[in-house]
Amino acid sequence: MEPQPTAAQPTAAQPAAAHAIETVFRLESPRVIAGVARIVRDVGIAEELAQDALVAALERWPRDGVPDNPGAWLMATARHRAVDLIRRRETYARKLAEIGRDLETAVPPEVPADPDDIDDDLLRLVFTACHPVLSREARTALTLRLLGGLTTAEIARAYLVPEPTIAQRIVRAKRTLAKKNVAFEVPCGPEREARLGSVLDVIYLIFNEGYAATAGDDLLRPGLCEDALRLARVLSALMPKEAEVHALTALLEFQASRAAARTGPDGTSVLLKDQNRRRWNRMLIARGIRALDRADATATGGPGPYALQAAIAACHAHAYTYEETDWRAIATLYGLLVARAPSPVVELNRAVAVSMADGPAEGLKLVDALAAEPALRGYHLLPSVRGDLLSRLGRTAEARAEFERAAGLARNEKERALLLRRAADVSTR
């Protein structure tokens, strides 16, 4: 008779189950944290309970198999542990009296909530993490950690700041929310408007991490893009008179429309000029156009940062070929964006547009002026752009060196492979 496997004697199926658990938790942890935070009213404790559910999955799934609905399993496990915690701790006695009895008999939902439902725990989590008791930087970092499931390293990369800085922001933010007893809710009236800017920034950064992952083996993380786009659409329904909400939604619709064309069959990155535009999702482009129209219709002053970025994305969406792109209009829009929301990254994007409208030499002047920017130190796209401009100017040796430097700075494997390939192509020429 064959011996039964034990924890010390893993089966061949256990590594596969462990991989499945990691994948599921990466996708489902934001929803689990948000659902549990509604119960315990503390995002730090909610994250710990979600981790407890992960540990339980690591113990049971390799033995019993991955459940049919792993997200619901994790949610149910975390919620039951939340109820147990409320029972055990005297400080939660009042919450147990109000909430605990119902939760003991409540059946956890087996399917995710309606994506268009305004009463959405994920949205509550965003607004809670964006409470004004936190600094703007802490709000965004905390929500990216809880909602996006990003590591501190990934968030630091997105912000171009040291990893310990992000770690400290997240820990302090959790403590502050707990100390101030911040309500887990979507605020109303002026308080909602006050938090809106941070909420939009958070959603945009989550989408960007999914659209161009800062690290790892995959260029895209579609789950993050889908969560960000869903939240943007929900927010548009919640705040129909806010132009920048519609503008952000338009921007994400346009960006998401290109996702299928951004990678080749083997997952390698495909540059914008080489993308098969027949693979662009015209339904999402149409949605983006309608959202941008709503942003224009509800605007009360000049265009905001997201409206300008959406207008830039619309220029790309309207061009059926790369050669048809209206680069002069894009350069003008980037100039307005620099004036409205200045940043070294926006300046770098403007340099690319100027190079396409007025030639690579003009773009190179702008890029070289950014070389001393502290925020761009270690940013792989700076030498990548410079390499492209040098290549177009025929300065191949310099271009190759820049592409190689960019590859050394890139942490995403697909981006690194693309940059090394471009360095090799320049050498061949």
Side-chain angles (χ1 to χ4, degrees):
M1 183 175 179
E2 292 292 331
Q4 295 298 310
T6 65
Q9 186 180 5
T11 68
Q14 285 178 330
H19 178 72
I21 294 167
E22 292 175 5
T23 301
V24 168
F25 189 75
R26 182 85 171 190
L27 294 173
E28 297 294 338
S29 63
R31 295 182 180 87
V32 174
I33 293 170
V36 175
R38 179 163 50 87
I39 300 170
V40 299
R41 310 292 180 180
D42 185 308
V43 293
I45 293 175
E47 188 178 18
E48 292 175 5
L49 292 171
Q51 291 288 341
D52 287 346
L54 171 63
V55 172
L58 288 168
E59 293 172 350
R60 294 183 56 180
W61 292 5
R63 181 190 67 211
D64 302 337
V66 179
D68 293 336
N69 192 332
W73 191 98
L74 289 168
M75 179 68 80
T77 301
R79 288 181 64 177
H80 290 155
R81 289 173 186 258
V83 173
D84 290 340
L85 178 64
I86 291 173
R87 284 200 192 102
R88 290 196 306 267
R89 297 179 60 173
E90 291 183 358
T91 55
Y92 287 98
R94 180 180 58 82
K95 295 180 181 179
L96 175 60
E98 296 174 356
I99 301 171
R101 292 193 190 93
D102 292 336
L103 289 173
E104 283 184 300
T105 58
V107 178
E110 290 299 319
V111 295
D114 182 351
D116 295 322
D117 185 3
I118 296 303
D119 186 17
D120 181 65
D121 283 339
L122 286 174
L123 195 59
R124 292 173 188 266
L125 182 59
V126 175
F127 271 95
T128 300
C130 291
H131 197 279
V133 297
L134 305 177
S135 69
R136 188 179 183 88
E137 294 80 8
R139 298 173 206 169
T140 308
L142 178 62
T143 308
L144 285 170
R145 178 77 180 104
L146 298 177
L147 181 71
L150 307 189
T151 65
T152 53
E154 289 168 338
I155 300 170
R157 186 72 172 176
Y159 270 115
L160 307 178
V161 298
E163 185 175 341
T165 301
I166 294 297
Q168 291 173 3
R169 287 176 187 171
I170 292 171
V171 170
R172 290 171 182 167
K174 291 177 185 176
R175 289 174 180 169
T176 300
L177 290 176
K179 183 178 180 180
K180 299 291 186 180
N181 197 25
V182 172
F184 186 71
E185 64 184 9
V186 177
C188 299
E191 187 180 356
R192 177 189 297 171
E193 296 176 6
R195 293 195 223 172
L196 182 58
S198 289
V199 171
L200 296 182
D201 290 347
V202 166
I203 293 174
Y204 186 43
L205 279 173
I206 291 171
F207 182 89
N208 277 346
E209 180 58 32
Y211 192 70
T214 55
D217 296 330
D218 299 319
L219 179 69
L220 303 178
R221 294 171 60 185
L224 289 179
C225 291
E226 292 166 5
D227 271 343
L229 187 50
R230 183 179 68 85
L231 283 170
R233 291 169 179 168
V234 169
L235 202 60
S236 290
L238 182 63
M239 310 181 77
K241 296 182 180 180
E242 290 289 342
E244 278 289 83
V245 173
H246 296 306
L248 175 64
T249 305
L251 174 60
L252 301 194
E253 301 279 12
F254 287 135
Q255 298 286 69
S257 73
R258 305 203 297 259
R262 294 188 66 242
T263 56
D266 58 352
T268 56
S269 180
V270 179
L271 295 172
L272 178 64
K273 65 184 180 65
D274 298 324
Q275 289 177 16
N276 179 358
R277 301 196 174 204
R278 288 191 296 273
R279 299 188 67 197
W280 287 10
N281 189 319
R282 290 291 154 184
M283 182 191 72
L284 292 180
I285 290 174
R287 292 184 66 120
I289 292 170
R290 289 195 296 271
L292 188 55
D293 287 342
R294 287 193 293 271
D296 291 339
T298 54
T300 56
Y306 288 114
L308 291 169
Q309 291 179 75
I312 291 168
C315 289
H316 290 294
H318 285 303
Y320 282 89
T321 66
Y322 184 75
E323 292 71 25
E324 293 176 18
T325 306
D326 190 347
W327 288 107
R328 193 160 299 283
I330 292 174
T332 299
L333 288 167
Y334 268 121
L336 295 173
L337 184 59
V338 166
R340 182 71 173 79
S343 84
V345 173
V346 174
E347 290 275 14
L348 183 61
N349 290 332
R350 174 173 170 263
V352 173
V354 168
S355 77
M356 298 303 297
D358 299 326
E362 294 302 314
L364 186 60
K365 292 177 184 177
L366 298 176
V367 171
D368 286 344
L370 296 171
E373 279 288 346
L376 295 181
R377 188 177 298 117
Y379 187 50
H380 70 283
L381 291 182
L382 178 62
S384 174
V385 168
R386 194 166 189 275
D388 180 71
L389 297 177
L390 290 168
S391 176
R392 288 164 57 191
L393 289 168
R395 295 161 60 177
T396 55
E398 295 172 84
R400 182 181 67 250
E402 289 296 292
F403 284 133
E404 290 174 347
R405 185 162 75 92
L409 294 172
R411 295 179 60 189
N412 182 279
E413 292 300 325
K414 293 296 188 292
E415 282 193 299
R416 183 181 293 116
L418 172 65
L419 290 164
L420 290 174
R421 189 167 68 246
R422 298 191 72 186
D425 290 344
V426 169
S427 298
T428 301
R429 289 200 302 270

